[in-house]
Amino acid sequence: RKEVEQDPGPFNVPEGATVAFNCTYSNSASQSFFWYRQDCRKEPKLLMSVYSSGNEDGRFTAQLNRASQYISLLIRDSKLSDSATYLCVVNVPVIKAAGNKLTFGGGTRVLVKP
Amino acid sequence: EADIYQTPRYLVIGTGKKITLECSQTMGHDKMYWYQQDPGMELHLIHYSYGVNSTEKGDLSSESTVSRIRTEHFPLTLESARPSHTSQYLCASSEGMQGYYNEQFFGPGTRLTVL
């Protein structure tokens, strides 16, 4: 089983609609969570961190459910520019060197169409 | 914009050649990472470093090697390139302080094609 799993999509979304998708993680010791966005043939960029109480950034809302070990991302009023692959990223503490290591999901592709 | 750079951006090379992919960052980050990503596929961590003279292998086995002699520089070397090494290689860095919400900043990547 993969450590971080996502529905690869694509999610075809009409412009202006709302889309939501989840990501599950297997390691209960995971302590921090992120959504990154990756455009085609570009590098990933941080979209938002996901906090325990849930958080919102403009049209984007992220939720964390520790009991069921999943995080979600909701995009309201979708824009054409929201078309991208959204990567779920989970931080698993690495005891050695007191560091942290991010594990990336395979990504969920979102296509917003006019 | 993140201050992390990778060169070359694109490289086409023949089998058996030795190559070094350069990565440098000017943010003073202690932690640096190399990922490998095939088109449309997920990122795989192949190497990481917690600081100078620290290197660790990642989750995906790789024939490449890395070094970390200076904080800002984290080159990746393939001694003998093969077609199976064809992929995109992404370098990233993050702050060294202990904590959990440390963003990783990515370089633009190097697209490697081995003929």
Side-chain angles (χ1 to χ4, degrees), chain A residues 62-94:
Chain A
Q63 295 282 347
L64 167 63
N65 185 317
R66 283 192 186 272
S68 301
Q69 294 185 201
Y70 74 86
I71 66 172
S72 64
L73 181 66
L74 182 145
I75 308 173
R76 285 186 301 278
D77 188 23
S78 298
K79 310 291 184 192
L80 297 177
S81 57
D82 294 334
S83 296
T85 296
Y86 292 86
L87 305 175
C88 171
V89 185
V90 175
N91 177 357
V92 179
V94 177

Side-chain angles (χ1 to χ4, degrees), chain A residues 2-4 31-34 36 38 41-46 49-52 64 66 87 91 93-94 96-107, chain B residues 1 9-10 31 33 35 37 39-43 45 48 50 56 58-59 88 90 94-109 111:
Chain A
K2 290 184 178 180
E3 289 189 59
V4 180
Q31 296 182 330
S32 53
F33 310 88
F34 309 85
Y36 275 69
Q38 186 173 27
R41 295 180 169 268
K42 298 283 190 179
E43 72 273 22
K45 292 187 178 179
L46 179 67
S49 302
V50 186
Y51 302 114
S52 296
L64 167 63
R66 283 192 186 272
L87 305 175
N91 177 357
V94 177
K96 183 178 180 182
N100 60 79
K101 188 161 67 78
L102 296 185
T103 299
F104 285 76
Chain B
E1 289 295 319
R9 293 290 309 278
Y10 304 91
K31 296 186 174 69
Y33 313 82
Y35 293 87
Q37 186 180 33
M41 304 298 286
E42 60 199 273
L43 281 87
L45 181 68
Y48 59 103
Y50 289 127
E56 303 286 343
D59 303 321
Q88 171 160 275
L90 288 157
S94 65
E95 289 183 1
M97 64 183 181
Q98 198 170 6
Y100 305 123
Y101 281 92
N102 292 327
E103 176 182 356
Q104 282 193 11
F105 296 89
F106 284 82
R111 279 195 189 278

Side-chain angles (χ1 to χ4, degrees), chain B residues 19-80:
Chain B
I19 58 170
T20 296
L21 307 184
E22 301 289 348
C23 175
S24 59
Q25 49 94 6
T26 59
M27 297 174 281
H29 288 168
D30 284 333
K31 296 186 174 69
M32 296 189 73
Y33 313 82
W34 275 104
Y35 293 87
Q36 185 175 341
Q37 186 180 33
D38 293 325
M41 304 298 286
E42 60 199 273
L43 281 87
H44 292 287
L45 181 68
I46 52 175
H47 298 285
Y48 59 103
S49 167
Y50 289 127
V52 171
N53 295 325
S54 145
T55 60
E56 303 286 343
K57 289 193 177 296
D59 303 321
L60 181 68
S61 176
S62 174
E63 293 168 347
S64 58
T65 59
V66 292
S67 62
R68 189 87 184 277
I69 298 171
R70 303 199 314 266
T71 298
E72 63 271 19
H73 196 213
F74 191 39
L76 179 146
T77 298
L78 274 165
E79 290 292 332
S80 179

Side-chain angles (χ1 to χ4, degrees), chain A residues 13-26:
Chain A
V13 185
E15 192 176 8
T18 296
V19 61
F21 41 90
N22 293 340
C23 157
T24 58
Y25 61 95
S26 61

